[in-house]
Amino acid sequence: MKLMIFDGNSVINRAFYGVRLLSTRDGQYTNAIYGFLNILDKVRQEERPDALCVAFDLKGPTFRHERYEQYKATRHGMPEELAQQMPVMKQVLGAMNIPIYACQGWEADDVIGTIAKRCAAGDWDCVVVTGDRDSLQLVDEHVTVKLVVTKGGQTNSTNYSPDLFQEEYGFEPIRLIDLKALMGDSSDNIPGVAGVGPKTATELLKKYGTLEGVYENLTPQNMKGKLFEKLESGKENAYLSYELATIRLDAPVDFSPGDALVAEPDRKALYELFLRLGFVKLIDKYRLRSAAFSEPLEAGQKEARPAADGNETVPLFSATVRDQSAVDPMQAAGEQAIELQIPESKAELEALLADWKQAERVALAVSEDLELLALDDAGNKPAVLRRDRLGSAFDTALSELFSGKIRLLVHGAKELLRRLSERCLPADGIVFDTELAAYLLDAARGKYELPRLALDYCHIQLPVQKELMEAGVPAREAKQALLLSETAALLALYEPLQAGLKEQKLEALFYDMDLPLCRVLAEMEVEGVLVDAEALHRFDRMLRERIVETQAEVYRYAGGEFNLNSPKQLGEILFVRLDLPAGKKTKTGWSTNVEVLEKLRDKHPIIGCIMEYRSLSKLQATYAEGLLKVVGPDGRVRTTFQNTVTATGRLSSTEPNLQNIPVRTDLGAEIRKMFVPAPGWVFVDADYSQIELRVLAHMAGDEAMQAAFNSGEDVHRVTASQVFSVPLEEVTPQMRRSAKAVNFGIVYGISEFSLAEDLGVSRAEAKAYIDSYLQKYHGVRDFMAAVVEQGTQAGYVATLYGRRRYLPQLRDGKYMVREAARRMAMNSPIQGTAADIIKLAMLRVDRALKAAKLQARLVLQVHDELIVECPEAEAEAVKALVTREMEAAANLSVPLQAEAKSGRSWYEAKE
């Protein structure tokens, strides 16, 4: 039989530092608990113990503190983020029916040692799971110490047997006590013998066996030089240290191995805890949801059944959650059911629509094909609208739903609006979007799926299709049950999300900017932009030919063919065969990234060829072949604008990404020539001039920078004049280039190292540029410092419009992490405000185009640039309109400046 005992404090401590900080929506930190449970699961799978328990330390002094007042005196206190998780960790272990052992006045190590001894006495094997090497002294023929290391969320472990310990240390495990007696232990503040380190202590033990043996042989002849004096003067500390380092085996703990036999968890209690902590993957791993789901299914309520009035009833778990405090919408008794309305006539439909028009808000969930809609207003009976039941009246229902007369609550407004626009349906009435609201409340979250938001904010877990199908629920009924559960989640989420927006003063940002922008973006996605497919095919062929030619050049310089796309093989060619100066080496070989190659550009002509090959390959795969794959039947390419992705609030685009087309190379510019307006139409391209610097001047309140913009002078020349202390007319092109690099670098929190790399100057020169800049523009200097300080204290920074970016990394213990967060703190308010302004500009331009009843329509947005497609006859009017609306988008202390041009391609309109 085998018992496995966890060193609770040691393992949770390593889990805390090995897994990035995680927390629930209500501020409960969870990373240590999550890491502990993953370690627990991993080692249980490896060891398959018959019994399992955990030992913890208790607060308060132990007998070691009484013996030596300075014991562990140098240790820092437990971080609050970890201390908060300790009681919850014990609750989880209780729900898992894993016993916990602790003794007041004794350490967990002593509890573990005592339990291990009793196991051996009962002829049980014992595995001690710990991250602390102190426990290795317990290793014997019955006790194995499983030493765990957690890093980056990954856990590795080593099983120490007597043989492995002997091989590594050179003496038997129990002698680890003697080793610590001699060398001490800084982590526990065990003094040891002053001046005796690990190497000397190990050599002494290998020669004399024990601490006692060392002192029995303590003579000037045996201990040469100062070692004799160190050992003689340190004898008292050595024996004290021996006492402190010894794990006691007689702790007063009430334990026998049979008390810790592996037992089934309290599945309901564990489910509720995991639900509250947001451990969705662990719920699935422990099959807790299935367990909660099984009870109502066994009651026989598997399928919807006809109700007396011709409607249907469905199981409560598969439809809705009225009580937001309920933790499991699927565990209600099977005989409980709610009445579901599925109208089959125009009269039934009209009655429902009349009710919804009176409701404060109606939650709506739709199927991908818009053939199935679930609605609920929390006051009436939930309903499902089905095309197969309503026939032609279904289209009437769609038109009425999105006529603006019903206040709709949805998840993912932009996607829904795009689908409606594709079908030429009305698209009004959406008053709240849970996805967008959750993004505004935490832009760094990354994912905003409805099930996870319901779990985090309301402790509601939605059913999944697989379980409904396995339970025998027919496919269509399962689908409508899932949609109804989504409406329940939407209704539950509205209050906490709306309260969050109000508390963080984000309501204006949500209702006046991000939510109305969804419609603009949806219409732009549907519209798309025309591509000259023939020109794109020619461009693709040209790129392929140049790739082959460039590849041949690389092989010629390399002296033979190899896999040019393999960093490992390329590294061998560059740093072995050609003997170029090697950069950093990774686990798989030398790094050959762009930074490494840039430094080697002047060392060998092969480098330029490699960089050209990579550039050509990316252009060909991403923008030539890639664009050809996504051209629609009408010749237009349709990107997807992402409005809940970036941490700063900027829009991005995917499939294809039209915001990342290179513009500083000739070939990149060629790609823009492929984008053309419809016959007889032109593009109007307008972009802001230096918007981020203008935002910086306004937000920093820097009078010198504001004066430069308000004077109408070239701000980079003015900056060069300031930084280099020369008259404006004496600023050279090189000075302007350096000033421009500093101007934009300051916005991004550039370091002297990065600026030196950009300008090709020494770090000392780069530092001098930055120092001079901040001396002249002291308002910018003070603003940046204030932003970082505010971010450190509040935990977030904000744009001019209140959009927040949370940066807990500003308080991280690691210098590099803090420095990266400082740069983000300095940049985010500027970049985020610029992003907010371009959003406001898009709204203004869209409204103005429609108000003027022009045929022109927005088709693209690329960072600070808007592209409108319009009939050639409207070009001049559109240029004036777009310029006017963009420049009026924000009222700053410096003028916003936009310039609009037109042309018969994106390239022509941009030039």
Side-chain angles (χ1 to χ4, degrees), residues 693-907:
L693 286 178
R694 294 171 189 269
V695 167
L696 175 60
H698 174 83
M699 294 187 73
D702 190 289
E703 294 179 359
M705 186 174 284
Q706 290 175 357
F709 278 116
N710 287 323
S711 70
E713 293 281 356
D714 177 348
V715 70
H716 299 313
R717 290 185 71 240
V718 173
T719 299
S721 173
Q722 295 274 349
V723 170
F724 294 105
S725 300
V726 298
L728 199 61
E729 60 272 13
E730 294 181 19
V731 171
T732 66
Q734 179 58 44
M735 288 178 179
R736 184 186 182 279
R737 176 173 169 267
S738 298
K740 182 177 181 180
V742 178
N743 263 332
F744 287 114
I746 289 294
V747 173
Y748 289 88
I750 198 168
S751 66
E752 59 193 55
F753 175 79
S754 297
L755 183 61
E757 291 278 303
D758 291 346
L759 295 178
V761 299
S762 69
R763 291 182 65 175
E765 287 179 280
K767 183 178 186 303
Y769 290 163
I770 293 174
D771 290 345
S772 178
Y773 180 97
L774 294 176
Q775 184 179 2
K776 299 293 183 182
Y777 295 114
H778 53 82
V780 172
R781 177 196 61 205
D782 296 344
F783 170 74
M784 292 299 190
V787 164
V788 173
E789 177 61 23
Q790 186 270 335
T792 303
Q793 296 303 318
Y796 68 88
V797 294
T799 71
L800 193 61
Y801 297 91
R803 189 184 303 275
R804 296 184 180 186
R805 181 175 188 176
Y806 287 89
L807 290 168
Q809 306 94 321
L810 286 168
R811 295 184 178 181
D812 198 278
K814 297 176 183 176
Y815 174 79
M816 295 299 289
V817 175
R818 285 200 313 276
E819 282 301 295
R822 287 182 75 256
R823 289 192 291 274
M824 287 187 277
M826 289 186 280
N827 167 247
S828 293
I830 309 304
Q831 188 182 102
T833 298
D836 287 342
I837 290 173
I838 196 72
K839 288 180 178 180
L840 291 171
M842 293 174 72
L843 289 168
R844 291 180 65 96
V845 168
D846 179 73
R847 290 168 186 158
L849 290 174
K850 290 173 179 173
K853 300 188 183 308
L854 295 169
Q855 296 182 63
R857 59 269 180 123
L858 269 169
V859 290
L860 280 178
Q861 179 270 340
V862 180
H863 306 313
D864 307 330
E865 176 184 358
L866 296 183
I867 299 96
V868 175
E869 187 177 13
C870 68
E872 191 168 355
E874 293 181 358
E876 292 305 315
V878 169
K879 282 196 290 185
L881 179 150
V882 173
T883 301
R884 179 186 72 242
E885 298 301 327
M886 289 180 70
E887 292 183 345
N891 184 21
L892 304 182
S893 55
V894 297
L896 277 177
Q897 186 175 322
E899 183 179 10
K901 298 178 181 178
S902 62
R904 289 183 172 80
S905 71
W906 187 0
Y907 173 84

Side-chain angles (χ1 to χ4, degrees), residues 229-540:
E229 296 174 8
K230 292 176 181 177
L231 289 168
E232 185 176 49
S233 62
K235 183 175 181 178
E236 184 178 344
N237 272 349
Y239 280 96
L240 169 65
S241 299
Y242 186 93
E243 184 179 344
L244 296 174
T246 301
I247 293 177
R248 296 271 294 272
L249 308 179
D250 58 346
V253 56
D254 184 14
F255 169 83
S256 68
D259 297 337
L261 289 172
V262 172
E264 280 291 308
D266 181 337
R267 302 181 76 81
K268 183 176 184 297
L270 191 59
Y271 179 89
E272 292 178 2
L273 277 167
F274 282 178
L275 204 56
R276 179 160 60 88
L277 296 171
F279 292 167
V280 179
K281 291 182 179 178
L282 292 183
I283 288 174
D284 291 337
K285 180 181 287 187
Y286 285 85
R287 299 188 63 79
L288 298 177
R289 180 161 58 189
S290 297
F293 193 39
S294 62
E295 187 176 342
L297 294 179
E298 290 169 1
Q301 188 68 31
K302 291 185 178 181
E303 297 184 18
R305 61 175 182 265
D309 59 0
N311 290 324
E312 294 182 353
T313 58
V314 295
L316 179 61
F317 63 75
S318 66
T320 189
V321 183
R322 295 296 181 200
D323 180 8
Q324 291 186 29
S325 66
V327 294
D328 182 10
M330 300 188 297
Q331 67 181 10
E335 63 273 6
Q336 287 184 284
I338 58 172
E339 189 172 349
L340 169 65
Q341 299 178 86
I342 303 181
E344 298 188 351
S345 68
K346 185 177 180 181
E348 292 173 351
L349 174 63
E350 288 176 348
L352 280 173
L353 290 170
D355 286 340
W356 290 333
K357 288 173 184 177
Q358 300 303 313
E360 186 174 356
R361 73 191 65 88
V362 177
L364 169 70
V366 303
S367 63
E368 285 293 323
D369 56 7
L370 287 181
E371 298 292 288
L372 196 66
L373 293 80
L375 299 102
D376 195 353
D377 68 355
N380 295 312
K381 300 169 185 175
V384 171
L385 306 186
R386 292 168 48 166
R387 182 177 291 278
D388 65 330
R389 297 287 185 91
L390 283 169
S392 60
F394 187 81
D395 292 325
T396 302
L398 285 175
S399 296
E400 281 294 302
L401 276 175
F402 300 104
S403 64
K405 300 173 184 175
I406 299 173
R407 297 167 55 83
L408 297 171
L409 168 61
V410 303
H411 184 81
K414 181 179 72 69
E415 171 63 18
L416 176 57
L417 290 168
R418 182 184 61 77
R419 281 188 271 164
L420 293 169
S421 184
E422 285 173 340
R423 292 163 174 78
C424 299
L425 288 166
D428 291 316
I430 294 177
V431 297
F432 201 85
D433 179 356
T434 52
E435 179 185 38
L436 203 56
Y439 168 69
L440 271 181
L441 292 174
D442 185 2
R445 179 188 181 99
K447 295 183 178 179
Y448 303 90
E449 296 95 339
L450 184 60
R452 187 56 195 245
L453 295 180
L455 185 69
D456 288 351
Y457 281 90
C458 309
H459 297 167
I460 293 173
Q461 189 171 14
L462 303 186
V464 296
Q465 186 168 9
K466 181 181 177 182
E467 289 177 346
L468 291 172
M469 299 297 286
E470 288 176 351
V473 180
R476 181 169 284 275
E477 281 67 27
K479 182 61 179 177
Q480 70 184 33
L482 292 172
L483 291 177
L484 284 164
S485 71
E486 289 180 18
T487 63
L490 290 170
L491 292 168
L493 278 166
Y494 174 78
E495 294 297 339
L497 291 177
Q498 172 60 29
L501 294 175
K502 185 175 182 179
E503 179 187 352
Q504 296 186 22
K505 297 181 173 57
L506 294 171
E507 290 175 297
L509 197 64
F510 178 79
Y511 290 109
D512 299 337
M513 187 186 300
D514 282 14
L515 187 59
L517 187 67
C518 288
R519 180 166 185 163
V520 178
L521 296 174
E523 291 174 353
M524 290 168 66
E525 289 179 2
V526 172
E527 191 64 44
V529 59
L530 191 63
V531 170
D532 185 339
E534 280 303 313
L536 197 55
H537 275 293
R538 291 194 299 271
F539 186 60
D540 181 51

